[in-house]
Amino acid sequence: MGRCCRSACRRCILTRIAQVVPNVPTFAVDDGFAYAIPDELPNIAVGSHVTVPLGGRKVKGWVTSVRSGDPKRTLKSILAVSGDLPHFDEALLETLRWTALFHVAPMSTLLARSGPPNIARLKTDVAPTSARPAGEATATYIVTGAPYRETLSKLCRPVVAAGDNVLVVCATAEEVQLYATGLEASLDQPVLRVGSAIAARTVTTAWTIAATTGGNVIVGTREAALWPLGRLGAVIVVEEGRRGMTSPQTPTWTVRDVVLHRGEIEKFRTWFVGPVPTVHALAAIPNLVGADKRAWPLVEVVNRFDEPPGTGPLLGASVRAIRNVCKRGGSAFVFVNRRAYAPVFRCLTCKELRRCPDCGAGAEKGDLCSRCQASLGGCPSCGGRTFEPVGAGIGRTIEILRRSIGDAVGVAGSNAPVIVGTERDIPPIGSVDLVLIVDADGMLLAPHFRADEETMRILGRAAASVRRGTGNRTVVQTNQPGDRVITALRSGRPVPLLREILNERRDSGFPPSGAVIIIKTSSTSAAIESELLVLGERSGATVLGPVPVRDGQRWLIQGRDLHRFKLALRGVVGGWRDSDVKVRIDVDPIDL
């Protein structure tokens, strides 16, 4: 359009207006406020990190839209811009907005996660790369228990060759270094490393490079899934079901869900790699590769029922297996379900596992069920009143093993040939000769609807840490050798069991076929309870609670679709927090 010849033309004097969401963690500012863009800040765009006046003070915020407006409208002006680069574009903003709505979180808490730890400065000799041409959104799950180096290299190479960025997301900082080092050797190029354990300056530099150039491989923890990544051509998620893939703080967003949603909007390829998919992944990802192949080496089951009472948590066959591995110079990992005490007991008379007679959950110490508070009584099979622990914590297990094999036993990080640890200590894929599962029953009898899925995921991952070779195997101690999870573990093919669980969830309305929300408040009142019941009635959700917990009260909300409930909940949570009530909202929680 040509230059207008009339300086008083209305089109020529329209004011540029930015909608800014202040960095204030409340739903009240989610829609943002309008500010005039001064002439001295012409480069303000969607995603710019700015300083604005708000309520008599200066606050940081993010620009979510830019438009032209009526010059007669009096608006406060943006005061300053931080950094040279926007923290997100319109496509990434759509994913951030969806995540905030899905997890009932203020927008500012998600917008803050898209930026680097320090102010990003663009070097004058670096020209931002051009936008990536629109691609096709595809999602594939590669079911494998083999070391990931070859798979990751094969997936990354064509993306980088096309000049696009590829993001590899893993669960821990240690794995960031492991996979990045392997990819550097395979691809013969530097790899950007990002994560909370890496220096802020280094992470900010990586953020800047990834946001402005193409042909990069970025390996990071879950935070990188919310980054602007320039020419993003693919995302690879390693073991999407790990706890490290879900934010422990609210909003409790999950890498899997964010990456899948983002891929649909930005049109890039997503790959998921790991030995055991989650039920959510099976429901959302249509393409599975390798599901018909064995994902880990041999699994041997030792039936605890055949052992006499009083034998202790480690059976003779298990100790002999560890001793033999040590004699041949091998390594072993001993998995315990808890760091402290045993989660399951069995009757000393008949050896049946102790369960709650009402809900069937595994029973711990005491006379009441930890899940439903029902009276446990004696053994439901024989009436016996004496029980022994089935499993053991890390300390007790190490003590028992040292009696047989001496100082060859230690905790994670000790470099001992035999390591005792929990889920967080499971070794990398294909790195040990033997894995011993001390107590599978405590996991199978866990008091929540995810018990079978979680047991399959954790034990499958532990079994996949065994390297293939003669004599290498996983040994599982259990009182329930015929359990469907144990059967699937022995077969090395977890997908048929997970599909069975998915079908059960569809019938019951549990996630992913339904929705569950946990709401915790530091205190309760008749008003809070009344508001929740009204919201549930209006939205068709079931409201259960409150139940006293250590730090307050807890409600469980369940329904086939809780979208209406979530929208209404946003309107009342702010009032609770204004009354100094601490509120935590956990959508689709890992633990119930």
Side-chain angles (χ1 to χ4, degrees):
M1 183 178 293
R3 180 180 179 84
C4 180
C5 60
R6 294 182 297 171
S7 60
C9 172
R10 184 175 181 80
R11 174 172 57 82
C12 294
I13 59 175
L14 289 177
T15 301
R16 291 183 71 217
I17 297 174
Q19 198 74 11
V20 178
V21 174
N23 188 10
V24 181
T26 173
F27 296 111
V29 302
D30 273 8
D31 294 333
F33 303 100
Y35 291 89
I37 301 176
D39 294 339
E40 59 268 25
L41 299 175
N43 295 326
I44 285 178
V46 170
S48 292
H49 193 206
V50 298
T51 302
V52 295
L54 181 70
R57 58 194 177 106
K58 298 177 183 179
V59 300
K60 296 290 186 179
W62 297 270
V63 175
T64 55
S65 69
V66 175
R67 64 185 186 278
S68 298
D70 189 339
K72 294 182 180 180
R73 183 182 178 187
T74 302
L75 295 173
K76 294 180 179 180
S77 295
I78 292 175
L79 301 176
V81 179
S82 300
D84 300 329
L85 296 170
H87 286 195
F88 49 83
D89 56 17
E90 292 184 0
L92 180 53
L93 175 60
E94 188 174 340
T95 295
L96 295 171
R97 198 182 301 278
W98 172 85
T99 305
L101 289 172
F102 185 83
H103 290 281
V104 198
M107 270 295 292
S108 63
T109 61
L110 268 301
L111 299 182
R113 285 163 167 76
S114 65
N118 296 335
I119 295 176
R121 298 295 184 188
L122 184 61
K123 294 182 179 179
T124 56
D125 59 343
V126 176
T129 188
S130 59
R132 183 178 67 90
E136 181 181 1
T138 61
T140 302
Y141 205 115
I142 301 174
V143 181
T144 178
Y148 301 132
R149 177 172 173 172
E150 182 178 347
T151 300
L152 295 180
S153 300
K154 182 179 178 181
L155 297 177
C156 288
R157 190 170 286 109
V159 180
V160 173
D164 296 334
N165 291 331
V166 56
L167 170 66
V168 179
V169 186
C170 46
T172 66
E174 292 78 11
E175 288 167 303
V176 168
Q177 299 297 343
L178 176 67
Y179 301 143
T181 300
L183 284 169
E184 282 179 333
S186 300
L187 302 176
D188 194 26
Q189 73 170 65
V191 170
L192 301 175
R193 295 165 167 84
V194 298
S196 57
I198 299 174
R201 178 182 296 181
T202 302
V203 173
T204 300
T205 299
W207 184 95
T208 305
I209 294 171
T212 56
T213 63
N216 302 296
V217 177
I218 305 102
V219 181
T221 47
R222 64 175 177 270
E223 295 86 354
L226 297 176
W227 278 16
L229 293 169
R231 292 180 60 101
L232 183 57
V235 175
I236 305 169
V237 182
V238 181
E239 298 179 19
E240 45 84 29
R242 298 270 295 279
R243 288 178 177 264
M245 293 297 188
T246 297
S247 173
Q249 292 85 28
T250 55
T252 53
W253 62 278
T254 300
V255 170
R256 175 196 59 243
D257 299 336
V258 166
V259 166
L260 286 172
H261 191 86
R262 188 174 178 181
E264 287 293 332
I265 295 171
E266 299 181 37
K267 304 301 181 186
F268 58 71
R269 289 164 286 178
T270 55
W271 287 293
F272 297 82
V273 181
V276 184
T278 60
V279 171
H280 283 70
L282 286 184
I285 302 171
N287 304 315
L288 260 67
V289 176
D292 57 338
K293 299 179 181 178
R294 188 178 183 92
W296 47 77
L298 175 70
V299 174
E300 175 186 341
V301 175
V302 178
N303 188 354
R304 292 191 63 96
F305 206 85
D306 295 334
E307 296 286 334
T311 54
L314 295 180
L315 304 185
S318 302
V319 174
R320 286 193 295 273
I322 295 175
R323 189 184 296 119
N324 290 336
V325 166
C326 292
K327 285 182 179 179
R328 59 185 173 96
S331 59
F333 176 71
V334 180
F335 174 84
V336 295
N337 190 28
R338 289 190 177 184
R339 308 194 75 81
Y341 205 70
V344 167
F345 290 73
R346 71 171 181 173
C347 176
L348 272 175
T349 303
C350 70
K351 297 182 287 187
E352 287 286 351
L353 293 175
R354 193 184 194 194
R355 304 178 190 235
C356 173
D358 286 4
C359 71
E364 302 183 14
K365 281 185 171 181
D367 298 322
L368 298 178
C369 173
S370 60
R371 182 186 191 187
C372 68
Q373 299 301 303
S375 176
L376 294 175
C379 174
S381 296
C382 72
R385 309 286 303 187
T386 307
F387 303 91
E388 67 172 345
V390 172
I394 291 177
R396 186 179 178 212
T397 302
I398 290 176
E399 289 177 5
I400 295 171
L401 284 173
R402 281 180 174 171
R403 295 171 195 162
S404 299
I405 58 178
D407 294 334
V409 187
V411 296
S414 65
N415 295 320
V418 180
I419 295 297
V420 180
T422 58
E423 178 187 357
R424 72 183 186 183
D425 305 315
I426 294 175
I429 298 293
S431 61
V432 296
D433 301 301
L434 176 74
V435 165
L436 169 63
I437 309 297
V438 173
D439 169 34
D441 301 320
M443 303 172 69
L444 292 171
L445 298 180
H448 56 79
F449 73 93
R450 296 185 191 273
D452 281 1
E453 179 187 6
E454 278 290 279
T455 304
M456 184 75 261
R457 179 186 67 80
I458 295 172
L459 298 191
R461 179 173 158 239
S465 70
V466 176
R467 65 172 62 93
R468 298 179 186 273
T470 302
N472 295 347
R473 66 195 188 280
T474 297
V475 177
V476 182
Q477 298 184 160
T478 177
N479 259 57
Q480 306 174 89
D483 186 276
R484 64 178 182 173
V485 176
I486 303 301
T487 300
L489 186 68
R490 294 182 69 176
S491 74
R493 298 172 180 84
V495 172
L497 168 64
L498 297 170
R499 291 197 185 281
E500 182 180 329
I501 295 173
L502 177 58
N503 290 332
E504 293 170 357
R505 302 268 184 90
R506 287 172 178 152
D507 294 336
S508 64
F510 280 110
S513 298
V516 171
I517 301 175
I518 294 293
I519 301 175
K520 292 182 180 179
T521 60
S522 58
S523 62
T524 188
S525 66
I528 291 178
E529 187 170 357
S530 175
E531 284 178 312
L532 283 175
L533 291 173
V534 169
L535 294 184
E537 183 178 352
R538 290 177 178 174
S539 62
T542 300
V543 178
L544 303 174
V547 174
V549 292
R550 182 180 58 183
D551 50 355
Q553 304 286 329
R554 185 179 74 168
W555 282 266
L556 186 147
I557 319 298
Q558 184 183 1
R560 289 284 180 178
D561 184 356
L562 295 182
H563 180 67
R564 289 176 57 199
F565 181 90
K566 293 176 185 177
L567 292 178
L569 183 62
R570 297 170 70 89
V572 301
V573 168
W576 300 347
R577 288 174 173 155
D578 290 342
S579 302
D580 293 328
V581 176
K582 296 179 180 179
V583 183
R584 175 184 171 90
I585 300 171
D586 195 348
V587 177
D588 192 12
I590 296 178
D591 298 308
L592 284 177

